[in-house]
Amino acid sequence: MTKQVLCVGAAVLDTIFRVRTLPTGEGKVLPYDMVQIPEGMASSAAYAVVRLGGAATLWGAVGDDERGHRIRQGLAADGIDTDGMRIAPGAPSALSTILVDDHGDRLIIPFYDHRLHAEPPRVTEDDLARFDAVLVDVRWPALARQVLRVATGLGIPAILDGDVAPVDTLRDLAAFATHIIFSEPAARSLSTERNEAALVRDLAEQFGTALVSVTFGERGSYWLEPEGRTLCHQPALAIDAIDTLAAGDAFHGAFALGLAEEMSVADAIRLGSVTAALKCTVFGGRRGMPLRADAQAALRRLSPVQTGL
């Protein structure tokens, strides 16, 4: 049976320009490639779920404008269930301008109108009962908090994409999650520890009710297994990065699907690692999400998990 994953948060129309180098000051930048695509953290994670063989539902908000129609239509055309998305009257839909350079690094300029997320719907147990895992990002905290709280009460894996956000928002949402995957910048905003292992141990201590992992890009990911408090490290798959945009979202979507499929945390992280790596080999944000067969093949080339660090 196809596993059902609910993704909650960002839905944005991205314009992605490919440039030789990122700008360092005033001037004009001439791109040599571009794509315009609806994505965002939760949206891109939902697409990763679909590409890997799961079923993804997206709860987010768009405005009642042409851009909002394009976002919903584009995501639905790619297999994501957008029926539960909210339309906020009078609010402009979110958009981003993104530059990606020849090293795969990016510069992101997003715009979210506060009116998009002014009125979150009430979430009940009946709303979440059909899902095998939920994944929330930090863009709609009031809705994310409800989803995490209700899912945890139902015994459903409740996963927080701990990306850059106000510290109070991260701490608030983390208190309701069963699993937290922090990006490195977000993790460092919550701790003074500099060493990777010490940083993960500190965050695991702070958020003791959840399994805590931190992703470090090409340096792989670390997490602390709850049983025995064993620190684990998954090295990243070696690739030539073309576009790192949506790599974290690829990781989170794959991880959520892995837990929905009742994988161990280590196996879900391994699936997330190869999904993120393969995504980085294609320009165009979430367009690079791999199919399950490609991810499975890449798993055979992935270094084993390191423990007892």
Side-chain angles (χ1 to χ4, degrees):
M1 183 179 296
T2 302
K3 297 299 183 179
Q4 301 279 337
V5 178
L6 171 64
C7 299
V8 179
V12 191
L13 185 63
D14 282 350
T15 303
I16 310 169
F17 295 104
R18 195 171 183 189
V19 299
R20 295 301 180 193
T21 58
L22 294 179
T24 57
E26 183 180 347
K28 182 180 290 187
V29 179
L30 299 178
Y32 64 93
D33 198 359
M34 71 85 67
V35 63
Q36 197 166 59
I37 186 171
E39 48 185 9
M41 291 180 288
S43 301
S44 296
Y47 188 54
V49 170
V50 171
R51 294 282 286 176
L52 294 172
T57 296
L58 177 66
W59 288 359
V62 295
D64 56 349
D65 52 14
E66 187 273 339
R67 190 161 62 241
H69 175 73
R70 289 183 62 186
I71 291 170
R72 288 185 290 115
Q73 186 179 54
L75 295 173
D78 282 336
I80 299 167
D81 180 354
T82 60
D83 290 347
M85 292 189 69
R86 292 292 170 126
I87 300 176
S93 298
L95 74 162
S96 291
T97 298
I98 301 167
L99 304 182
V100 178
D101 71 11
D102 282 346
H103 300 289
D105 295 328
R106 77 268 193 197
L107 174 66
I108 304 174
I109 307 172
F111 173 74
Y112 294 85
D113 190 283
H114 70 278
R115 291 170 291 178
L116 281 174
H117 303 142
E119 298 182 10
R122 180 173 175 270
V123 179
T124 68
E125 291 186 353
D126 288 343
D127 295 326
L128 299 190
R130 67 185 176 95
F131 295 108
D132 300 292
V134 303
L135 168 68
V136 308
D137 69 29
V138 295
R139 285 291 175 256
W140 197 349
L143 179 57
R145 184 187 308 110
Q146 289 190 70
V147 169
L148 291 173
R149 178 180 55 79
V150 174
T152 299
L154 290 171
I156 299 170
I159 306 149
L160 170 62
D161 172 356
D163 202 1
V164 174
V167 168
D168 289 346
T169 298
L170 288 171
R171 293 193 182 281
D172 177 45
L173 295 179
F176 296 96
T178 61
H179 300 75
I180 309 169
I181 311 291
F182 287 112
S183 67
E184 181 178 1
R188 295 201 182 281
S189 75
L190 294 166
S191 174
T192 58
E193 297 288 352
R194 298 295 93 189
N195 172 267
E196 286 94 341
L199 175 62
V200 175
R201 289 189 183 279
D202 182 29
L203 293 176
E205 185 69 25
Q206 291 185 46
F207 308 108
T209 59
L211 182 137
V212 173
S213 175
V214 181
T215 58
F216 292 92
E218 64 185 13
R219 305 198 306 282
S221 53
Y222 289 77
W223 71 99
L224 206 62
E225 290 282 3
E227 298 296 329
R229 310 299 284 173
T230 301
L231 184 68
C232 303
H233 174 226
Q234 175 59 64
L237 187 71
I239 58 159
D240 292 324
I242 292 175
D243 178 6
T244 59
L245 181 66
D249 311 325
F251 189 108
H252 300 134
F255 179 81
L257 181 60
L259 292 190
E261 294 178 353
E262 300 183 356
M263 289 183 185
S264 67
V265 167
D267 285 342
I269 284 178
R270 286 175 62 80
L271 180 61
S273 296
V274 296
T275 303
L278 293 176
K279 190 246 77 69
C280 291
T281 63
V282 178
F283 170 71
R286 71 174 175 88
R287 292 199 313 177
M289 297 296 179
L291 293 169
R292 187 63 173 261
D294 298 320
Q296 290 295 138
L299 281 170
R300 295 193 287 270
R301 299 187 281 118
L302 187 65
S303 299
V305 174
Q306 301 170 350
T307 60
L309 304 175

PDB file of all heavy atoms in Angstrom, residues 45 121 123 153 172 194 233 272 276 288 307:
ATOM      1  N   ALA A  45       9.665  19.000  -0.637  1.00  0.00           N
ATOM      2  CA  ALA A  45       9.703  17.725   0.090  1.00  0.00           C
ATOM      3  C   ALA A  45       8.567  16.818  -0.366  1.00  0.00           C
ATOM      4  O   ALA A  45       8.746  15.601  -0.520  1.00  0.00           O
ATOM      5  CB  ALA A  45       9.604  17.982   1.590  1.00  0.00           C
ATOM      6  N   PRO A 121      -6.194  26.859   9.760  1.00  0.00           N
ATOM      7  CA  PRO A 121      -7.361  26.030  10.062  1.00  0.00           C
ATOM      8  C   PRO A 121      -7.140  25.235  11.341  1.00  0.00           C
ATOM      9  O   PRO A 121      -6.003  25.009  11.767  1.00  0.00           O
ATOM     10  CB  PRO A 121      -7.447  25.097   8.848  1.00  0.00           C
ATOM     11  CG  PRO A 121      -6.037  25.011   8.360  1.00  0.00           C
ATOM     12  CD  PRO A 121      -5.428  26.359   8.617  1.00  0.00           C
ATOM     13  N   VAL A 123      -6.931  21.837  13.320  1.00  0.00           N
ATOM     14  CA  VAL A 123      -6.553  20.472  12.947  1.00  0.00           C
ATOM     15  C   VAL A 123      -7.081  19.495  13.988  1.00  0.00           C
ATOM     16  O   VAL A 123      -6.867  19.676  15.188  1.00  0.00           O
ATOM     17  CB  VAL A 123      -5.016  20.340  12.832  1.00  0.00           C
ATOM     18  CG1 VAL A 123      -4.627  18.917  12.468  1.00  0.00           C
ATOM     19  CG2 VAL A 123      -4.480  21.329  11.799  1.00  0.00           C
ATOM     20  N   GLY A 153       0.192  12.887  19.253  1.00  0.00           N
ATOM     21  CA  GLY A 153      -0.836  12.242  20.063  1.00  0.00           C
ATOM     22  C   GLY A 153      -1.386  10.978  19.429  1.00  0.00           C
ATOM     23  O   GLY A 153      -1.797  10.049  20.134  1.00  0.00           O
ATOM     24  N   ASP A 172       9.800  26.476  19.876  1.00  0.00           N
ATOM     25  CA  ASP A 172       8.385  26.186  20.064  1.00  0.00           C
ATOM     26  C   ASP A 172       7.977  24.942  19.281  1.00  0.00           C
ATOM     27  O   ASP A 172       7.360  24.016  19.827  1.00  0.00           O
ATOM     28  CB  ASP A 172       7.561  27.393  19.614  1.00  0.00           C
ATOM     29  CG  ASP A 172       6.072  27.133  19.701  1.00  0.00           C
ATOM     30  OD1 ASP A 172       5.615  26.584  20.714  1.00  0.00           O
ATOM     31  OD2 ASP A 172       5.352  27.471  18.741  1.00  0.00           O
ATOM     32  N   ARG A 194      30.736  24.257  18.486  1.00  0.00           N
ATOM     33  CA  ARG A 194      31.230  24.380  17.115  1.00  0.00           C
ATOM     34  C   ARG A 194      31.473  23.022  16.467  1.00  0.00           C
ATOM     35  O   ARG A 194      31.240  22.843  15.279  1.00  0.00           O
ATOM     36  CB  ARG A 194      32.530  25.179  17.100  1.00  0.00           C
ATOM     37  CG  ARG A 194      32.391  26.608  17.597  1.00  0.00           C
ATOM     38  CD  ARG A 194      31.502  27.453  16.677  1.00  0.00           C
ATOM     39  NE  ARG A 194      30.110  27.466  17.115  1.00  0.00           N
ATOM     40  CZ  ARG A 194      29.115  27.959  16.418  1.00  0.00           C
ATOM     41  NH1 ARG A 194      29.325  28.468  15.217  1.00  0.00           N
ATOM     42  NH2 ARG A 194      27.874  27.945  16.889  1.00  0.00           N
ATOM     43  N   HIS A 233      27.044   8.908  12.309  1.00  0.00           N
ATOM     44  CA  HIS A 233      27.391   9.815  11.210  1.00  0.00           C
ATOM     45  C   HIS A 233      27.190   9.086   9.890  1.00  0.00           C
ATOM     46  O   HIS A 233      27.710   7.978   9.697  1.00  0.00           O
ATOM     47  CB  HIS A 233      28.852  10.268  11.328  1.00  0.00           C
ATOM     48  CG  HIS A 233      29.317  11.081  10.151  1.00  0.00           C
ATOM     49  ND1 HIS A 233      30.530  10.848   9.539  1.00  0.00           N
ATOM     50  CD2 HIS A 233      28.744  12.109   9.470  1.00  0.00           C
ATOM     51  CE1 HIS A 233      30.687  11.701   8.537  1.00  0.00           C
ATOM     52  NE2 HIS A 233      29.611  12.475   8.480  1.00  0.00           N
ATOM     53  N   GLY A 272      17.421   9.571   2.636  1.00  0.00           N
ATOM     54  CA  GLY A 272      17.461  11.026   2.518  1.00  0.00           C
ATOM     55  C   GLY A 272      18.778  11.523   1.953  1.00  0.00           C
ATOM     56  O   GLY A 272      18.812  12.448   1.134  1.00  0.00           O
ATOM     57  N   ALA A 276      19.020  13.603  -1.580  1.00  0.00           N
ATOM     58  CA  ALA A 276      19.548  14.968  -1.594  1.00  0.00           C
ATOM     59  C   ALA A 276      20.745  15.088  -2.533  1.00  0.00           C
ATOM     60  O   ALA A 276      20.862  16.063  -3.286  1.00  0.00           O
ATOM     61  CB  ALA A 276      19.926  15.388  -0.182  1.00  0.00           C
ATOM     62  N   GLY A 288      15.239  18.303  -9.917  1.00  0.00           N
ATOM     63  CA  GLY A 288      16.268  17.268  -9.844  1.00  0.00           C
ATOM     64  C   GLY A 288      15.932  16.091  -8.946  1.00  0.00           C
ATOM     65  O   GLY A 288      16.780  15.203  -8.760  1.00  0.00           O
ATOM     66  N   THR A 307      29.486   4.754  13.669  1.00  0.00           N
ATOM     67  CA  THR A 307      28.913   4.862  15.028  1.00  0.00           C
ATOM     68  C   THR A 307      30.026   4.920  16.051  1.00  0.00           C
ATOM     69  O   THR A 307      31.200   4.665  15.773  1.00  0.00           O
ATOM     70  CB  THR A 307      28.000   3.670  15.329  1.00  0.00           C
ATOM     71  OG1 THR A 307      28.766   2.447  15.252  1.00  0.00           O
ATOM     72  CG2 THR A 307      26.847   3.594  14.343  1.00  0.00           C
TER      73      THR A 307
END
